[in-house]
Amino acid sequence: MNAQSRATLADVARLAGVSSKTVSRVFSDTGSVSRDTRARVLAAAERLHFRPNTLARNLRRGGVASTVAFVIGDLTNPFHFLVAAGIERELALSGLTLVLATTDDSPESEKRVVDALLSQRVRALILIPIADDQSYLEGERQLGTPIVGVDRPASNLVADSVVLRNRLGMAEAVRSLTAIGHRKIGFISNSSAMYTQRERLAGYRDALREVGVFDTAQWERVDDDPTVSPKFVVRRLLDLPDPPTAIVAGNNRASAGAVRALLDREPTVAFIGFDDFELADALGISVVAYDSLQLGRTAARLALDQLANPGAFPRQIELPTRLLQRGSGEIPPPS
Amino acid sequence: MNAQSRATLADVARLAGVSSKTVSRVFSDTGSVSRDTRARVLAAAERLHFRPNTLARNLRRGGVASTVAFVIGDLTNPFHFLVAAGIERELALSGLTLVLATTDDSPESEKRVVDALLSQRVRALILIPIADDQSYLEGERQLGTPIVGVDRPASNLVADSVVLRNRLGMAEAVRSLTAIGHRKIGFISNSSAMYTQRERLAGYRDALREVGVFDTAQWERVDDDPTVSPKFVVRRLLDLPDPPTAIVAGNNRASAGAVRALLDREPTVAFIGFDDFELADALGISVVAYDSLQLGRTAARLALDQLANPGAFPRQIELPTRLLQRGSGEIPPPS
DNA sequence: CTGTTAGCGCGTTCAT
DNA sequence: ATGAACGCGCTAACAG
């Protein structure tokens, strides 16, 4: 009774006294089978613990798996994971499963990881581009595999993408600060997510330029050194002879660091983060929030659409952000 | 040039002027091929954008995919995704990829989701059991598929598992409170994760019993109603005529709720949460912490071990927790 | 409604 | 070092 092997269609067919094709019909719900034989087949299958082999089925049906791949740099980033959750939810509705792979934020491994996934014949590829060139995917795209960039568009590749309205979102946040009188506003960011940080920095500059502030370089701290804690960056900024009266953060890690630095002091410096986080509401921290889950769902939907409608023109979707004022962003500058 | 189809071994063989078996040898790194033919094969493969079909390969090699499944209730729970991250890291080392599926915390869908995964012939199944009976997996286990329960052991099934030292961890936290004089200690929890909450509740009672407190029911708030905010549960607890002087939380959601409630008041009530969270250090919140990533890694390792060593006796692993005192747990009772 | 034949793309077995 | 035949488990295309 131990180490028995798996039952196949043929085994079930033999036991039920029918042909294997009939068993196939029962399990793939295609063609018609009489009530009676169907029952016999199901009984035989039950007895043998038969489970159809999706691998073989997929091979026969065109050589593609019933999976969609999502490639990300780092799974421990909560943002990434919420996106994955969104993708999974949407895929489940279509009977597809999600396969997940990470690149450890290393551009070199991206191609390797993606290649392995494509060898598995995933139906579609969703990725947060980390390498700065995705042209290596052009061949695959022409073969009809939907490719979707999330959070940043793929480079050198015509593909679907879903990104946030980064520039507008940040501009809106900074405008809310200039509206209550702030002019000296710090921008901090520590991330290699070049695209999003560039966009948000641009939005920050947009808003300041609108009120006649052009020399913003002195307030910009775009450290890409992961060993430098954002907390200290903020502290140093506040310890300047002429410190900023408000600070905005470019992403969730910078936000967390800034909050750490600000919790140490009297709340006299205004602050707005990018990306909401647990307890931000309880702490009265204003943020530019967005729906990561939605980002994932949209990405999955784009992939599914492309699958249903091959050759459709790639779409670039921008998802809105919203400014959540909870106090920290409403502190006026000292008069 | 559009809609061309995928190259196969045979295509490459034809172009290179060799047999398909030779191409197979080149790509599976098995058998020997002369330098010269190897080069010709690789050149041909390159030209045709050939990518070996893992589906077909796996089918031939025993009908199992090179994936491991992880089944969880809800991907949006940060605890769950850190576990997933740990699994992925460990699998990647063995060239396996992670497929992820969720059950929406619904016991009924667990079997359905798991069945679909097993049909895909995943090499192993790692799950956070949500249904209260996993005996339906017995057949699969006997066929040699490693099954690993994470965070809670599978029920009615002899399988590997990795769980936390929940009871001890909570007892240690409560002991630190009784040590500084607390006797009236509230326990709050809102979760359907029955197993962990039961264990932690037991640990809480253990510690109180040690100091002669037996009637703890009045301080226990184990709400399983998701519509009741833990924040209000805590508030009501504190508004009792004879309120507790300290509170412990049974999981991360309860912790977050408790922190919300406590941030509103003067910090006179001691608090210790279960599960660390972002900014807990900056806020001075004491917690019972543990390594979710390690939980995942260990689960993956158990699965891989079972794969390498079929029929080995299932192991139950318990991972330690550690009490992080940051202030909130060190507040003494009012004298 | 049911069965037969063939073959998805690859690897195993056995030749040479 | 290389090739021919066969089969993994299943389904498409035809029968009947």
Side-chain angles (χ1 to χ4, degrees):
Chain A
M1 197 60 191
N2 238 359
Q4 62 215 348
S5 60
R6 297 194 131 84
T8 70
L9 271 190
D11 298 328
V12 177
R14 210 169 302 123
L15 182 60
V18 296
S19 84
S20 60
K21 177 59 202 178
T22 300
V23 181
S24 163
R25 275 192 262 260
V26 171
F27 278 92
S28 52
D29 248 0
T30 165
S32 24
V33 179
S34 78
R35 292 190 68 69
D36 189 51
T37 29
R38 156 174 256 105
R40 278 218 317 288
V41 166
L42 288 176
E46 178 91 1
R47 266 194 52 195
L48 298 174
H49 298 299
F50 171 72
R51 208 191 297 276
N53 186 330
T54 308
L55 241 56
R57 166 179 295 181
N58 282 335
L59 177 60
R60 190 64 183 87
R61 297 220 274 221
V64 290
S66 44
T67 55
V68 169
F70 181 39
V71 177
I72 47 191
D74 173 21
L75 252 173
T76 63
N77 185 329
F79 160 67
H80 290 171
F81 219 86
L82 281 173
V83 175
I87 295 176
E88 199 274 340
R89 283 195 190 174
E90 200 64 32
L91 292 182
L93 299 178
S94 302
L96 295 170
T97 55
L98 173 64
V99 330
L100 214 53
T102 61
T103 61
D104 293 322
D105 276 330
S106 129
E108 303 80 51
S109 58
E110 182 184 288
K111 189 174 186 314
R112 203 172 32 72
V113 167
V114 164
D115 263 2
L117 258 12
L118 292 176
S119 272
Q120 292 188 33
R121 296 296 189 267
V122 294
R123 289 256 175 99
L125 178 66
I126 301 174
L127 77 167
I128 299 186
I130 163 83
D132 45 35
D133 177 39
Q134 275 76 40
S135 61
Y136 66 93
L137 286 170
E138 179 56 23
E140 191 64 27
R141 197 189 62 78
Q142 286 191 10
L143 285 171
T145 306
I147 296 173
V148 181
V150 184
D151 196 39
R152 354 193 219 281
S155 300
N156 306 323
L157 182 74
V158 184
D160 294 73
S161 68
V162 208
V163 299
L164 295 173
R165 221 165 266 155
N166 292 297
R167 187 164 182 169
L168 237 65
M170 181 54 91
E172 187 187 354
V174 174
R175 256 180 229 125
S176 80
L177 293 168
T178 60
I180 55 175
H182 291 281
R183 288 301 179 269
K184 298 181 292 185
I185 303 177
F187 178 95
I188 70 157
S189 150
N190 82 320
S191 168
S192 54
M194 306 282 281
Y195 169 78
T196 53
Q197 298 311 302
R198 236 176 15 236
E199 291 292 306
R200 292 170 195 174
L201 181 57
Y204 156 88
R205 288 174 180 164
D206 288 346
L208 280 170
R209 216 178 298 120
E210 287 165 13
V211 293
V213 178
F214 296 92
D215 180 22
T216 55
Q218 56 180 316
W219 313 119
E220 296 170 9
R221 294 290 181 280
V222 187
D223 259 309
D224 211 0
D225 182 348
T227 65
V228 177
S229 147
K231 177 172 174 175
F232 291 108
V233 173
V234 172
R235 279 205 186 142
R236 282 210 307 271
L237 205 49
L238 294 179
D239 288 340
L240 287 178
D242 185 26
T245 60
I247 290 180
V248 294
N251 61 15
N252 53 359
R253 295 198 178 165
S255 284
V259 171
R260 276 171 218 283
L262 295 170
L263 282 175
D264 290 350
R265 318 214 173 192
E266 287 305 298
T268 56
V269 177
F271 175 76
I272 302 181
F274 209 108
D275 195 352
D276 206 357
F277 59 93
E278 180 85 55
L279 291 181
D281 54 340
L283 293 172
I285 307 290
S286 300
V287 299
V288 178
Y290 53 88
D291 191 341
S292 304
L293 220 65
Q294 190 57 35
L295 212 50
R297 300 192 80 127
T298 307
R301 212 125 49 186
L302 282 175
L304 294 170
D305 281 359
Q306 193 74 223
L307 226 33
N309 194 354
F313 207 77
R315 289 181 286 166
Q316 321 293 323
I317 295 189
E318 283 204 337
L319 257 36
T321 60
R322 63 186 192 289
L323 177 61
L324 300 183
Q325 287 290 16
R326 291 169 176 150
S328 76
E330 296 158 305
I331 299 172
S335 49
Chain B
M1 196 58 191
N2 239 358
Q4 62 214 346
S5 60
R6 296 196 132 85
T8 70
L9 272 190
D11 298 328
V12 177
R14 211 170 303 125
L15 183 60
V18 296
S19 83
S20 60
K21 176 59 208 179
T22 300
V23 181
S24 163
R25 275 194 260 263
V26 171
F27 278 92
S28 51
D29 249 359
T30 163
S32 27
V33 179
S34 78
R35 292 191 70 68
D36 190 48
T37 33
R38 156 174 255 103
R40 278 220 316 290
V41 166
L42 287 175
E46 177 92 2
R47 267 194 52 196
L48 298 174
H49 299 299
F50 171 71
R51 209 191 297 275
N53 186 331
T54 307
L55 239 55
R57 167 178 294 180
N58 283 335
L59 177 60
R60 190 66 186 92
R61 295 219 273 223
V64 291
S66 43
T67 54
V68 168
F70 181 40
V71 177
I72 46 191
D74 173 20
L75 252 174
T76 63
N77 185 329
F79 159 68
H80 290 170
F81 78 67
L82 280 173
V83 175
I87 295 176
E88 199 275 342
R89 283 196 191 173
E90 199 64 31
L91 292 182
L93 299 177
S94 301
L96 294 171
T97 54
L98 173 65
V99 330
L100 213 54
T102 61
T103 61
D104 293 322
D105 277 330
S106 129
E108 302 80 51
S109 59
E110 183 185 285
K111 186 171 186 316
R112 203 173 32 74
V113 167
V114 163
D115 263 3
L117 259 10
L118 292 176
S119 271
Q120 292 188 32
R121 294 298 189 266
V122 294
R123 288 256 176 99
L125 178 65
I126 301 174
L127 77 167
I128 300 186
I130 163 82
D132 45 34
D133 177 38
Q134 275 76 40
S135 62
Y136 67 94
L137 285 170
E138 178 57 24
E140 192 64 27
R141 197 189 64 76
Q142 287 191 11
L143 285 171
T145 307
I147 296 172
V148 181
V150 185
D151 195 40
R152 357 192 217 282
S155 301
N156 306 323
L157 183 76
V158 184
D160 294 73
S161 68
V162 209
V163 299
L164 294 173
R165 221 166 266 155
N166 292 297
R167 187 164 182 167
L168 237 65
M170 181 54 90
E172 187 186 354
V174 174
R175 256 179 228 126
S176 81
L177 292 169
T178 58
I180 56 175
H182 290 282
R183 288 299 179 271
K184 297 181 292 183
I185 304 178
F187 177 95
I188 69 156
S189 149
N190 82 319
S191 167
S192 55
M194 305 284 280
Y195 169 78
T196 54
Q197 298 311 301
R198 235 176 13 237
E199 291 292 307
R200 291 171 196 172
L201 181 58
Y204 155 88
R205 289 174 180 164
D206 289 345
L208 280 171
R209 217 177 297 120
E210 286 164 14
V211 293
V213 178
F214 296 91
D215 181 23
T216 55
Q218 55 181 316
W219 314 118
E220 295 169 11
R221 292 289 181 280
V222 187
D223 259 308
D224 212 1
D225 181 349
T227 64
V228 177
S229 148
K231 178 172 174 178
F232 291 107
V233 173
V234 172
R235 280 206 187 140
R236 282 210 306 270
L237 206 48
L238 295 179
D239 289 341
L240 287 178
D242 185 26
T245 61
I247 290 180
V248 294
N251 62 14
N252 52 2
R253 295 197 177 166
S255 283
V259 170
R260 276 171 219 282
L262 295 169
L263 282 175
D264 290 350
R265 319 214 172 190
E266 288 306 298
T268 55
V269 178
F271 176 76
I272 302 181
F274 209 109
D275 196 353
D276 207 357
F277 60 93
E278 180 86 55
L279 291 181
D281 55 340
L283 293 172
I285 307 290
S286 300
V287 298
V288 178
Y290 52 88
D291 191 341
S292 304
L293 222 65
Q294 190 58 34
L295 211 51
R297 300 193 81 127
T298 306
R301 212 126 50 189
L302 282 174
L304 294 171
D305 281 359
Q306 193 74 225
L307 227 32
N309 194 355
F313 208 76
R315 289 181 286 167
Q316 321 294 323
I317 295 189
E318 284 205 338
L319 257 35
T321 61
R322 63 187 194 290
L323 177 60
L324 300 183
Q325 287 290 18
R326 290 169 176 149
S328 77
E330 296 157 305
I331 300 171
S335 47

